[in-house]
Amino acid sequence: MNSQTQHPAALPTLSWPGLDQLRNLQPHWYYAGLVNFGVMVFCLLAMTVDDRTLQGVSVWAKPMKFGLSIGVYYLTLVWFSQYLRPGTLSTRAGHWLVGIPLVAGMAEISYILVMAALGQASHYNFSSSFTITMYSLMGVGAVSMVAVLPWMAYLIGRYQPLHHPLIFAIVVGLVLTCVLGGGYGMYLSGNDNHWVEATRTDANGLWLFNWARDGGDLRVAHFFGMHAMHVFPLFALLLNRVLPDGTRSHTQLAILIGFICAYTAFSAITFTQALQGQPFMG
């Protein structure tokens, strides 16, 4: 173990930083997150004046959800960046770590938004060579957004104490988001749609998510896989709040590991459920 690992510059903080602190940590990711939240708000407003639909729901539903999801992704990366060795993101490699998900995410939300405005599908749109190419490029971008996560996990784990519950949750969450979210996402993109023995419409889907209720939906497992990076650290913070002061790292870590195993198994079950044409919730 090197001296940097033994003596991190600051012990992990068991809290969510304020907005000013987030902005100062990584302004590019921070403002990209705000832009995506702005897209979400714009789409919510657009739904009230534009009654066009696509696959049974508003044309603005997809960019609204992606704006929320990508916005949370960026702000989560900002939060995690405080656990990197100071100056990491200012190096040449650090610029790549910042730039790859920044370009990929902003390009993706821009294309989804434009296609929504045109009343066309951004995903599984094979109507022209252009849409086929753009769908492939979105796939490359999505892969790159999860591929950088283990890289960030390695840098955090190398600098901070892995026995700390929050650090452990962040590192494992980043890796499993790549493995689970990325893996399920690649399987999703290899099909011509996300439904399995279900009606090919989102009209009667589960509220907000639009997941099929009369058959399998591959988006369910992808959703849970992608949000491991959020769920695990939040669970670690919750543990720190609800357990008595005398119950610290070792017990918290044991409970956390159990939760991670259960969550991983749960996401695998939802994937198997979808493959069998069964709805997540009827």
Side-chain angles (χ1 to χ4, degrees):
M1 183 179 294
N2 60 35
S3 59
Q4 290 178 350
T5 304
Q6 293 173 330
H7 305 289
L11 291 176
T13 302
L14 287 169
S15 63
W16 175 266
L19 291 179
D20 288 341
Q21 186 182 356
L22 283 173
R23 182 177 63 248
N24 294 333
L25 284 168
Q26 216 315 300
H28 295 96
W29 283 340
Y30 175 80
Y31 286 114
L34 295 189
V35 168
N36 275 273
F37 289 144
V39 169
M40 177 193 70
V41 173
F42 170 80
C43 292
L44 287 171
L45 294 174
M47 288 180 186
T48 65
V49 296
D50 187 349
D51 59 1
R52 290 179 300 159
T53 61
L54 185 66
Q55 295 176 340
V57 296
S58 171
V59 295
W60 302 104
K62 185 176 288 291
M64 182 273 290
K65 291 187 291 184
F66 271 80
L68 173 60
S69 180
I70 296 176
V72 170
Y73 167 86
Y74 282 134
L75 291 192
T76 304
L77 293 185
V78 177
W79 175 29
F80 293 169
S81 69
Q82 68 183 308
Y83 304 119
L84 293 166
R85 183 184 182 202
T88 296
L89 298 182
S90 299
T91 64
R92 180 176 297 179
H95 291 160
W96 282 102
L97 178 57
V98 172
I100 290 172
L102 184 67
V103 172
M106 295 305 294
E108 180 171 13
I109 192 63
S110 298
Y111 179 66
I112 294 172
L113 186 62
V114 168
M115 293 301 282
L118 295 174
Q120 297 184 38
S122 53
H123 293 68
Y124 301 115
N125 189 335
F126 308 111
S127 61
S128 69
S129 58
F130 172 76
T131 57
I132 292 172
T133 300
M134 292 303 297
Y135 182 51
S136 298
L137 289 175
M138 276 204 303
V140 173
V143 168
S144 69
M145 289 176 73
V146 296
V148 298
L149 300 182
W151 179 12
M152 191 173 191
Y154 167 74
L155 294 174
I156 293 173
R158 182 182 175 188
Y159 183 62
Q160 297 286 0
L162 270 176
H163 62 269
H164 191 290
L166 179 59
I167 296 303
F168 185 82
I170 289 172
V171 169
V172 176
L174 287 170
V175 172
L176 283 184
T177 295
C178 178
V179 174
L180 298 177
Y184 297 143
M186 291 178 68
Y187 184 88
L188 245 172
S189 63
N191 292 272
D192 61 358
N193 67 85
H194 51 75
W195 296 289
V196 181
E197 299 178 18
T199 306
R200 297 194 176 194
T201 178
D202 288 333
N204 299 314
L206 193 65
W207 177 80
L208 182 62
F209 302 100
N210 302 131
W211 297 334
R213 295 194 294 179
D214 62 348
D217 198 321
L218 295 169
R219 294 176 296 183
V220 179
H222 179 57
F223 172 86
F224 288 113
M226 288 300 298
H227 291 291
M229 64 185 286
H230 309 117
V231 175
F232 297 170
L234 291 177
F235 186 78
L237 294 178
L238 178 64
L239 276 180
N240 187 67
R241 276 187 171 275
V242 301
L243 291 179
D245 291 340
T247 309
R248 284 310 176 202
S249 290
H250 293 302
T251 302
Q252 290 185 32
L253 199 56
I255 296 173
L256 178 62
I257 291 173
F259 175 79
I260 289 172
C261 291
Y263 187 94
T264 302
F266 172 75
S267 72
I269 289 170
T270 63
F271 182 62
T272 303
Q273 187 181 44
L275 291 178
Q276 294 174 345
Q278 300 173 0
F280 175 63
M281 294 179 65

